[in-house]
Amino acid sequence: MAAPRLLVSRRIRATPYTPRVEALGVSGYSVVNHTVLPKGFQKTVEEDYWHLKKHVQLWDVGCQRQVELHGADAARLAQLMTARDLSNARVGQCLYAPMIDADAKMLNDPIILKLAEDRYWFSIADADMLLWAKGLAQGMSLELGIVEPDVWPLAVQGPKSDDLVARVFGERVRDIGFFRFVVIDFEGQELVVARTGFSRQGGFELYPEGFSLGLKLWDALWQAGADLEVSPGCPNLIERVEGGLLSYGNEMTRADNPLECGLEQYCQLDGSVEYIGLEALQKIAQAGPERMIRGVVFEGDACPACQHPWPLTVGDGQVGYVTSAIWSPGFERNVALAMLNRGYWQAGTAITVNLADGSQRKGVVRELPMQES
Amino acid sequence: MAAPRLLVSRRIRATPYTPRVEALGVSGYSVVNHTVLPKGFQKTVEEDYWHLKKHVQLWDVGCQRQVELHGADAARLAQLMTARDLSNARVGQCLYAPMIDADAKMLNDPIILKLAEDRYWFSIADADMLLWAKGLAQGMSLELGIVEPDVWPLAVQGPKSDDLVARVFGERVRDIGFFRFVVIDFEGQELVVARTGFSRQGGFELYPEGFSLGLKLWDALWQAGADLEVSPGCPNLIERVEGGLLSYGNEMTRADNPLECGLEQYCQLDGSVEYIGLEALQKIAQAGPERMIRGVVFEGDACPACQHPWPLTVGDGQVGYVTSAIWSPGFERNVALAMLNRGYWQAGTAITVNLADGSQRKGVVRELPMQES
């Protein structure tokens, strides 16, 4: 059966870019943070994959809502909410930051933008982290403001991103470092331009404030990109799985800790900074994680979408599960992201993928990001 | 353009009833609490409206997730989170309960089920209230468990609900009082059966624990209801708007307080119980609310869906906005829910509805629930 249609209301929010993506033939939506996220256009996922790797795309990622902390206790609360060490973070820096609870379970994996010593944006995945922040601040009687600003991120992704963004904002954007941002003037308003994005093909995320500025931004980039083959796009599942980019709610949930998710490099474990969940996370680190996110490649025809985790087995025993999977035209095999139990996560381990229809496919564990071989 | 399709993944959760509603031809979904909510079947909204008022329907409301509080401080945290006085609440009671922040802004409007003196379920609308509860508990060092149980509500709504539910569970269910619940045995497991639901046509909400029990429950009710013309259904927009049933995220958001939402009867304002936002709410009550949710009926052909609020005007001035609207076959006019400024919310006030396409319709303010006249 074809997927049922999404009914949009005030509660399921449109973005400034919705009129443009609908005019360009968006074929499907997901919902993230009570906001629509385009999931495809007229190209197939494979055509879109090759386009993303060769050209440049505009992605409506307005669903990446910002949780802004500002005021006296903003820095304190920001640090309490993440296992990432923020003590040396500088203004202009973007930090991928696991957020965990007191049991060290994953609550979110935002990028934090440090806007000032007392002002932060948490650019969040799909969960109402504003409520977590407000609950903590209320319970601890902290002094700060916690708001969702009227900011609607727009991503420019692909190898021609520098060319496109430079045409609109000038050559200086080429000098923006990886996971750094600058504030530039656009139409008389401040615009955060960050070298980040949910692909491995390079590019930027732009943070316009207000619907009207967002629409002007889309149109300026679109018009400047005609001869660069600019296309509407969205996170590409093939590229994301090959690249090992994790999606909160898919690869990781409140059942997982950041070490299981392969995020140890973003966790300060030595006790030099205090955050919620530190003690629990230190214990997990000492014992070693029980399971780990890895790549899997597997045989057979192009697989269907993984809507519920698929069991991974060795003999009769379950040793993990697949969370996202798709056919890779580059690998000429199916690729997947999976959680694997200890003893089975080494690259090269042979496993069996058990699809929802009961069929079995031979597979092998890979390191992330996955390389063709 | 037809609405784009919703792409389901692990993150956008299916419910135990998803296979059944898809087999029955669900035509559209919304997403609530990271979970699909059916929005229509083969009947038109009007056909569904008449069916709901005459017969009985099964509604997949698995998206009404439960936030369970249990343990020593459960009662204390439950009261802190709502303006509703819980001091005299009894086990077996369901309480419609506005949740507000320290500024008295609406965070959610769940039904609270008091399961035991130290155990509560908050059956929530669309926001991650688990994170608000966990943040408060963490910040205040409270002693309790806060979890989302594996419970998937199924609603039975319509005038034949008592007959259908009695066939499956026995005659005793007819004695369940309005906004009361009992725990009965079903397939050897405990099942909460509550006389509640998001329509004004009577019925129950059932709370099975686990996917397999949910599926058995659907099938038992479906099979028992064949000669009662049981049908799959969902909250019906016509019936909901006429009945003045508010949808969090549509009629009310974090921008509104409960007095503006007409929920004063659910707010304890005399200071006899302490909760977050009490002081702010008392100030608002003293000054009187600045605006109020009301019904509106308006002229012209059947209106399109209201995806963004439509301004309400008197002369050149905006005096409010419509949040939900639809053609009512009973009223033979369009009906709407709207937020109206002070001075304009009296029943009978003439206003102009400004649709998204620029057209204007003559309308009049009504009390809620609206009556045909």
Side-chain angles (χ1 to χ4, degrees):
Chain A
M1 196 190 73
R5 299 184 181 283
L6 176 70
L7 280 284
V8 173
S9 63
R10 184 188 189 201
R11 181 176 58 75
I12 303 288
R13 296 176 288 188
T15 82
Y17 320 113
T18 302
R20 295 294 181 265
V21 302
E22 297 204 339
L24 289 163
V26 63
S27 58
Y29 280 132
S30 186
V31 174
V32 174
N33 291 321
H34 318 279
T35 309
V36 294
L37 170 67
K39 291 293 278 186
F41 291 87
Q42 289 160 349
K43 292 185 178 74
T44 65
V45 181
E46 286 192 25
E47 289 166 348
D48 180 72
Y49 169 84
W50 295 118
H51 183 276
L52 173 61
K53 291 188 125 184
K54 286 179 195 159
H55 303 292
V56 59
Q57 301 186 344
L58 299 188
W59 293 4
D60 172 1
V61 289
C63 65
Q64 292 172 197
R65 309 304 303 150
Q66 309 306 301
V67 178
E68 175 175 317
L69 312 184
H70 61 256
D73 284 328
R76 182 177 169 207
L77 181 58
Q79 181 62 79
L80 280 174
M81 290 198 299
T82 181
R84 180 89 185 247
D85 182 356
L86 301 181
S87 60
N88 296 313
R90 282 184 280 185
V91 173
Q93 198 173 345
C94 307
L95 302 105
Y96 180 74
M99 299 178 77
I100 58 175
D101 68 11
D103 299 320
K105 300 295 190 184
M106 288 294 296
L107 296 180
N108 213 284
D109 67 331
I111 289 172
I112 300 176
L113 288 81
K114 183 168 178 176
L115 299 163
E117 293 301 330
D118 63 351
R119 187 164 169 247
Y120 296 80
W121 280 348
F122 283 58
S123 188
I124 58 171
D126 186 27
D128 296 323
M129 302 316 295
L130 182 105
L131 294 174
W132 173 242
K134 280 173 69 84
L136 290 170
Q138 177 74 28
M140 298 175 72
S141 302
L142 300 181
E143 294 286 326
L144 78 157
I146 302 169
V147 298
E148 183 185 286
D150 188 26
V151 166
W152 299 92
L154 175 64
V156 184
Q157 297 286 294
K160 297 182 188 168
S161 294
D162 277 55
D163 293 341
L164 177 56
V165 173
R167 286 184 187 184
V168 176
F169 301 114
E171 292 297 313
R172 60 178 291 208
V173 299
R174 296 185 191 273
D175 300 328
I176 300 172
F178 189 58
F179 270 63
R180 292 290 187 282
F181 71 84
V182 298
V183 181
I184 63 172
D185 178 89
F186 177 65
E187 297 276 339
Q189 285 187 253
E190 290 192 339
L191 178 72
V192 168
V193 178
R195 193 181 287 278
T196 54
F198 202 54
S199 85
R200 300 232 183 238
Q201 308 310 318
F204 300 88
E205 288 177 303
L206 316 174
Y207 291 79
E209 192 156 355
F211 262 58
S212 62
L213 194 68
L215 204 53
K216 284 177 191 167
L217 182 63
W218 176 285
D219 290 343
L221 289 160
W222 187 259
Q223 284 154 24
D227 65 307
L228 296 174
E229 295 191 44
V230 66
S231 164
C234 55
N236 181 283
L237 187 57
I238 305 169
E239 200 268 349
R240 175 174 95 67
V241 170
E242 288 178 0
L245 294 170
L246 309 182
S247 160
Y248 185 77
N250 285 312
E251 276 63 64
M252 50 197 170
T253 72
R254 282 197 309 274
D256 309 309
N257 69 58
L259 305 190
E260 292 167 343
C261 301
L263 304 179
E264 183 165 349
Q265 63 179 306
Y266 305 107
C267 298
Q268 178 54 273
L269 288 163
D270 69 6
S272 60
V273 292
E274 269 188 61
Y275 54 82
I276 295 162
L278 168 62
E279 200 176 327
L281 197 56
Q282 285 176 324
K283 279 185 192 159
I284 294 162
Q286 201 162 24
E290 292 293 321
R291 49 196 193 151
M292 190 70 74
I293 289 178
R294 286 285 188 256
V296 165
V297 296
F298 62 95
E299 306 298 333
D301 295 338
C303 66
C306 180
Q307 297 189 344
H308 306 274
W310 293 335
L312 294 172
T313 50
V314 169
D316 291 337
Q318 184 171 350
V319 300
Y321 52 87
V322 164
T323 52
S324 297
I326 193 162
W327 175 261
S328 164
F331 286 42
E332 295 186 329
R333 282 198 279 176
N334 294 291
V335 291
L337 297 170
M339 186 69 88
L340 281 146
N341 294 349
R342 193 194 298 208
Y344 299 92
W345 71 53
Q346 299 84 346
T349 303
I351 44 84
T352 300
V353 182
N354 298 268
L355 272 60
D357 66 4
S359 69
Q360 296 190 317
R361 308 279 187 94
K362 286 183 188 173
V364 65
V365 176
R366 290 283 195 92
E367 293 284 343
L368 289 173
M370 290 185 268
Q371 307 294 332
E372 290 181 54
S373 68
Chain B
M1 195 190 74
R5 297 182 183 284
L6 175 70
L7 280 282
V8 173
S9 63
R10 185 189 188 200
R11 182 176 57 75
I12 304 287
R13 297 176 286 188
T15 81
Y17 319 114
T18 302
R20 294 296 182 263
V21 303
E22 298 205 337
L24 289 163
V26 64
S27 58
Y29 280 132
S30 185
V31 175
V32 174
N33 291 322
H34 318 279
T35 309
V36 294
L37 170 67
K39 292 293 278 185
F41 290 86
Q42 289 159 350
K43 292 185 178 73
T44 66
V45 182
E46 287 192 24
E47 289 167 345
D48 180 70
Y49 168 84
W50 295 118
H51 184 276
L52 173 61
K53 291 187 125 185
K54 286 179 195 159
H55 302 293
V56 59
Q57 301 186 344
L58 299 189
W59 293 5
D60 172 2
V61 290
C63 65
Q64 294 172 195
R65 308 304 303 150
Q66 310 306 301
V67 178
E68 174 174 316
L69 313 184
H70 60 256
D73 285 326
R76 183 177 169 205
L77 182 58
Q79 182 62 79
L80 280 174
M81 292 199 295
T82 180
R84 180 91 186 246
D85 181 358
L86 301 181
S87 60
N88 296 313
R90 281 184 282 184
V91 173
Q93 198 173 348
C94 308
L95 302 105
Y96 180 74
M99 298 178 78
I100 58 175
D101 68 11
D103 300 318
K105 299 296 191 184
M106 289 292 296
L107 296 180
N108 211 282
D109 67 331
I111 289 173
I112 301 176
L113 288 82
K114 183 168 177 177
L115 298 163
E117 292 302 330
D118 62 352
R119 185 163 171 247
Y120 296 79
W121 280 349
F122 283 57
S123 188
I124 57 170
D126 187 27
D128 295 324
M129 303 316 296
L130 182 107
L131 295 174
W132 173 241
K134 279 173 70 84
L136 290 170
Q138 178 75 29
M140 299 175 71
S141 302
L142 300 181
E143 293 287 326
L144 77 158
I146 302 169
V147 298
E148 183 184 288
D150 187 26
V151 167
W152 300 91
L154 175 63
V156 183
Q157 297 285 293
K160 297 181 187 168
S161 294
D162 278 54
D163 293 341
L164 177 55
V165 174
R167 286 184 187 184
V168 176
F169 301 113
E171 291 298 312
R172 60 178 292 206
V173 299
R174 297 187 190 273
D175 300 329
I176 300 172
F178 189 57
F179 271 64
R180 292 291 187 281
F181 71 83
V182 298
V183 181
I184 62 172
D185 177 272
F186 177 66
E187 298 275 340
Q189 284 187 254
E190 289 192 340
L191 177 71
V192 168
V193 178
R195 192 181 288 278
T196 54
F198 201 53
S199 85
R200 300 231 183 240
Q201 308 310 317
F204 300 87
E205 289 178 304
L206 316 174
Y207 291 78
E209 191 155 356
F211 262 57
S212 62
L213 194 67
L215 204 53
K216 284 177 190 168
L217 182 62
W218 176 286
D219 289 342
L221 289 160
W222 187 259
Q223 284 155 24
D227 64 310
L228 297 174
E229 295 191 43
V230 65
S231 164
C234 55
N236 181 283
L237 187 58
I238 306 168
E239 200 269 348
R240 174 174 95 69
V241 170
E242 288 179 1
L245 294 170
L246 309 182
S247 159
Y248 185 77
N250 286 308
E251 276 63 64
M252 50 196 171
T253 73
R254 281 198 310 273
D256 309 308
N257 68 59
L259 305 189
E260 293 168 342
C261 300
L263 305 180
E264 184 165 350
Q265 63 179 304
Y266 305 106
C267 298
Q268 177 55 272
L269 288 163
D270 69 6
S272 60
V273 292
E274 268 189 61
Y275 54 83
I276 294 162
L278 169 62
E279 201 176 327
L281 197 57
Q282 286 176 323
K283 279 186 191 158
I284 294 162
Q286 200 161 24
E290 293 292 322
R291 49 194 194 152
M292 189 71 72
I293 290 179
R294 285 284 187 255
V296 164
V297 296
F298 63 95
E299 307 297 333
D301 295 338
C303 66
C306 179
Q307 296 190 344
H308 306 275
W310 294 335
L312 294 172
T313 50
V314 169
D316 290 337
Q318 184 170 349
V319 301
Y321 52 87
V322 163
T323 51
S324 296
I326 193 163
W327 175 261
S328 164
F331 286 42
E332 295 185 330
R333 284 198 278 178
N334 294 291
V335 292
L337 296 170
M339 186 68 88
L340 282 146
N341 293 349
R342 194 194 298 210
Y344 297 93
W345 71 53
Q346 299 85 347
T349 303
I351 43 83
T352 300
V353 182
N354 298 268
L355 272 60
D357 65 4
S359 68
Q360 296 190 316
R361 307 280 185 94
K362 287 183 188 172
V364 64
V365 176
R366 290 285 193 92
E367 295 283 343
L368 289 174
M370 290 186 266
Q371 306 295 332
E372 290 181 55
S373 69

